[in-house]
Amino acid sequence: MTIAIGAGARVGVLLAALLLSACAGVPTERGRNAVGEQLAARSGTAITLPERGPALLDDAVRARLAEPLSADDAVAIAWLLGPRTRTALARLGLAAADLFDAQRPRNPRLSLGRIGNGEHRETAFGLHVVLTDLLTLPVRRRIGDAEWQAAIADTVAALLAEANEVRRAYYRYLAAEQIATLRAAITEAAEISEELAQRFHAAGNISALQLAREQAHASEARIDLAAARAARLEARMALAERLGLAGRSNRWRLPERLPLPVAEALAVDELLERAHAQRADLIAARAGLDADRRAARLSRRIGWLGRVELGVEHEREGGERRSGPNVELELPLFRQGQGEVARAEAREELALQHAERIGLAIERDVRTAVARLATRREIVDTYRHALIPQREAIVARELERYNFMLVGVFDLLQARRREFDAYQQYLEAIRDYWIARSDLEHAVGGDLPLPATPELTPRADEIVMPQSGDAHSDHGQPATDADTPHGDHR
C-alpha cells in the first residue's frame, strides 16, 4: 500500500528488498568466524572458538590435557573454555544485534478504528512508514558495517589481551613449580646438614653456636619451602581460572622446566610497523572513527529534518469506501537538530582522540617492551654467564679448602646455600624474561617466532646434587666439584 503513496518506484523497490532481507538472521556466527580468522592470522595456527552454552571438556581439550601444556596449548584452552573469552563473544552477539537493526528500517505501523454512534459508524485503518528511515537507510547501513568491524576488532583485541594474561600466568606457575621443587630439594639438604650438626655437637666436634646456626638454616629452608608451595598453589589456581579449568579438572600439568631465553634480533622500527598494521585495538578505533564520521555527516545533512511519516488511510462508511495518502511531518520550531549534530560531532572528536591515543600508546608500548625484554635478557645472561659460574667456583674452591682441612664442612655448606639462592633468582629472572616477551607480543599485536625446541633450565636435582667434574658453561647442568660433605676436619 505504501508504494502507491507517491514515494516513487525506487522507494517501492527498496521496500521490496527490505522485505526480502527481513528473513536474514542476526550475523553472530559470521562475526565469530571473522574473529577466529583474525586470531589465526596473528598466531599462525587454526583457532576454534567455543559455541554458545556451558563450557564443556570435549575430546580435543582432553587430548591437550593428557600431555604437558605448552604456552600455546594454554592459550588455545583459554579461548575454548575461559570465562573472559565467552564474555567477549557474548558482547559480539550484542554488536551483531545492533548491526541487524541498523540494516533495516523500523516496522510499518498499522492503525484501525471505528468512529460514530448508533448505526452510523465508520471503519478506518491506515498504514504508516517512517520516510526518514528509508532515506537514510544506505548511510545507516554503512555506519552499521563500520561499527560491526569495530566490534569484531574489539573482540580480537580482548582475546589477544586474554592470551597475554594466560601466558603471564603460565610462566608464573611454571616458575613457581620449578622453584618449589628446588626449595624441596634444598630443604632436604638443609635437614641432612642439621642432622649432621646434631651428631657433631653430640660428639663434641662443634659448638652450640654452630649447631644453632645450622638449625636456623634448616628452619629458614622450611619457611622458604612453605612459601614456595603456597606461591605454587596460588599460581596454579590463577592459571586454572584463566583456562576455565578451575572446578572442572585437576588432571593437567606443565613441563618440568622453564625454557631458556632465545637468541633473536628485534628491530624496533619493524615491530612498530607491524603493531600499527595489526594491533586490533587500533583497528577497532579506526573503524569506530569511520562510523562516527559517517554519523556526523548524516546528522549535519538531515538533522533539521526530524521525523517524516508517510501513510495511506482507508475509510469505509456504509457501502462507500474512500482511500488516500497522508503525511506526518515534525515541524522544526523549537529544535532544528542542533543537539543531535553537536552530539554526533562530539562523538567523532572522541573517536579521533581515542585512535590517536592508541597510536601514541603503541609507540610507548613497543619501545618500552623491547627495552624491558633486553633488560631481562641481560639479567638472565649475567646470572647464566657470571653469577652462577662465580658461585659454583666459590663452592669448588671451598671444597678444595675443605679437602685440605682449611675450612669446615659448614663453611662449604654456607657457600652452597648462596649458590642455591642464586639459582632461584636465576629461575625468577628467566620467568620475568618470558613474561616480558609475552608483553612485547601483546604490544606488537601478534606472535613472535620461537625455535621448535628451545634449551631448558637445569632440574632441581642437577642443582642440588651435581655430578662431579661436569662442565657447566651453558647451565643445562651445573658443574661443581662439591660432593655431599662427609665431616668436619677442624
Side-chain angles (χ1 to χ4, degrees):
M1 297 176 69
T2 306
I3 299 176
I5 306 177
R10 283 177 294 181
V11 176
V13 171
L14 178 60
L15 184 57
L18 291 171
L19 291 174
L20 291 175
S21 67
C23 299
V26 178
T28 304
E29 192 61 32
R30 177 159 55 92
R32 293 159 61 89
N33 293 337
V35 169
E37 291 170 1
Q38 293 190 29
L39 291 175
R42 286 166 171 80
S43 63
T45 58
I47 301 299
T48 303
L49 294 177
E51 302 292 337
R52 293 176 57 189
L56 300 175
L57 293 177
D58 58 15
D59 293 339
V61 174
R62 289 191 178 91
R64 289 182 183 270
L65 297 182
E67 301 293 333
L69 296 178
S70 67
D72 290 340
D73 289 332
V75 171
I77 292 173
W79 280 345
L80 278 171
L81 303 179
R84 293 167 184 82
T85 297
R86 292 175 173 269
T87 299
L89 293 176
R91 290 197 180 99
L92 183 63
L94 294 176
D98 292 338
L99 175 64
F100 181 87
D101 290 340
Q103 292 177 334
R104 291 159 179 78
R106 279 167 284 195
N107 290 325
R109 293 188 299 107
L110 180 65
S111 61
L112 178 65
R114 288 178 61 83
I115 305 173
N117 52 32
E119 297 180 357
H120 301 285
R121 292 183 179 273
E122 300 178 359
T123 301
F125 69 90
L127 182 65
H128 301 265
V129 295
V130 181
L131 179 61
T132 47
D133 279 5
L134 298 178
L135 295 176
T136 61
L137 184 60
V139 178
R140 290 192 294 109
R141 277 184 166 175
R142 288 192 288 271
I143 294 172
D145 287 338
E147 291 175 341
W148 175 239
Q149 294 305 317
I152 290 175
D154 273 332
T155 305
V156 172
L159 296 186
L160 290 175
E162 178 60 14
N164 181 48
E165 293 300 328
V166 169
R167 291 181 189 278
R168 291 171 66 91
Y170 176 91
Y171 289 117
R172 287 194 182 102
Y173 175 47
L174 181 53
E177 182 77 50
Q178 197 168 352
I179 289 171
T181 303
L182 174 62
R183 278 294 158 192
I186 292 172
T187 301
E188 182 179 359
E191 290 174 343
I192 293 173
S193 297
E194 180 185 26
E195 182 182 355
L196 180 64
Q198 290 172 345
R199 294 207 313 264
F200 280 14
H201 180 262
N205 292 332
I206 63 173
S207 66
L209 175 60
Q210 185 63 57
L211 173 62
R213 285 174 179 166
E214 295 307 314
Q215 290 173 331
H217 289 318
S219 297
E220 289 173 348
R222 295 185 190 99
I223 292 171
D224 290 339
L225 174 59
R229 286 174 171 170
R232 178 180 61 185
L233 176 61
E234 182 178 347
R236 179 179 176 86
M237 295 311 300
L239 179 57
E241 188 269 336
R242 289 279 177 184
L243 299 183
L245 295 175
R248 290 193 178 99
S249 175
N250 288 322
R251 301 176 64 86
W252 60 276
R253 66 191 191 281
L254 302 188
E256 293 182 354
R257 295 183 282 171
L258 282 162
L260 289 171
V262 296
E264 54 190 342
L266 300 175
V268 177
D269 291 340
E270 293 180 5
L271 294 176
L272 283 171
E273 184 178 353
R274 281 185 59 188
H276 282 287
Q278 68 182 17
R279 272 276 290 259
D281 53 349
L282 182 58
I283 294 173
R286 289 169 176 167
L289 175 59
D290 180 44
D292 287 328
R293 279 176 174 166
R294 293 178 184 274
R297 286 198 297 266
L298 177 63
S299 182
R300 284 191 290 267
R301 289 175 183 173
I302 66 168
W304 56 271
L305 183 59
R307 179 167 172 154
V308 179
E309 290 190 12
L310 292 179
V312 62
E313 297 286 345
H314 180 81
E315 294 182 359
R316 183 175 61 187
E317 182 178 2
E320 183 180 358
R321 298 182 179 181
R322 292 175 293 181
S323 299
N326 73 352
V327 60
E328 293 184 9
L329 177 64
E330 180 181 348
L331 298 178
L333 297 179
F334 307 109
R335 295 188 300 180
Q336 293 84 39
Q338 297 94 330
E340 288 78 0
V341 172
R343 275 190 290 272
E345 291 177 343
R347 283 192 290 267
E348 179 186 3
E349 180 65 20
L350 287 172
L352 175 61
Q353 297 305 320
H354 179 57
E356 290 184 354
R357 188 170 67 250
I358 291 178
L360 294 174
I362 287 175
E363 187 82 15
R364 177 204 64 200
D365 292 346
V366 171
R367 291 188 182 277
T368 302
V370 169
R372 184 185 302 116
L373 183 62
T375 300
R376 298 301 184 191
R377 176 61 186 263
E378 181 181 356
I379 292 173
V380 171
D381 286 345
T382 302
Y383 273 105
R384 185 180 184 185
H385 301 299
L387 184 58
I388 296 296
Q390 289 159 1
R391 287 295 180 194
E392 291 173 346
I394 291 172
V395 171
R397 302 295 80 76
E398 289 287 2
L399 179 60
E400 292 175 355
R401 297 177 68 198
Y402 169 73
N403 289 334
F404 285 102
M405 302 181 188
L406 299 177
V407 297
V409 64
F410 299 108
D411 296 310
L412 177 60
L413 291 175
Q414 180 63 26
R416 288 286 282 157
R417 293 188 189 101
R418 290 174 179 167
E419 182 188 10
F420 296 155
D421 290 338
Y423 263 109
Q424 176 172 340
Q425 295 160 8
Y426 175 49
L427 295 176
E428 291 168 347
I430 295 173
R431 173 202 64 197
D432 294 342
Y433 163 86
W434 286 107
I435 290 175
R437 195 177 190 279
S438 180
D439 289 342
L440 176 58
E441 289 182 326
H442 182 57
V444 172
D447 289 352
L448 300 175
L450 275 175
T453 56
E455 296 181 76
L456 300 178
T457 53
R459 296 191 305 269
D461 59 341
E462 295 173 331
I463 297 171
V464 177
M465 299 293 292
Q467 298 297 317
S468 177
D470 287 340
H472 187 40
S473 59
D474 63 353
H475 298 280
Q477 179 172 313
T480 72
D481 296 326
D483 296 320
T484 304
H486 53 78
D488 190 345
H489 296 289
R490 288 185 296 177

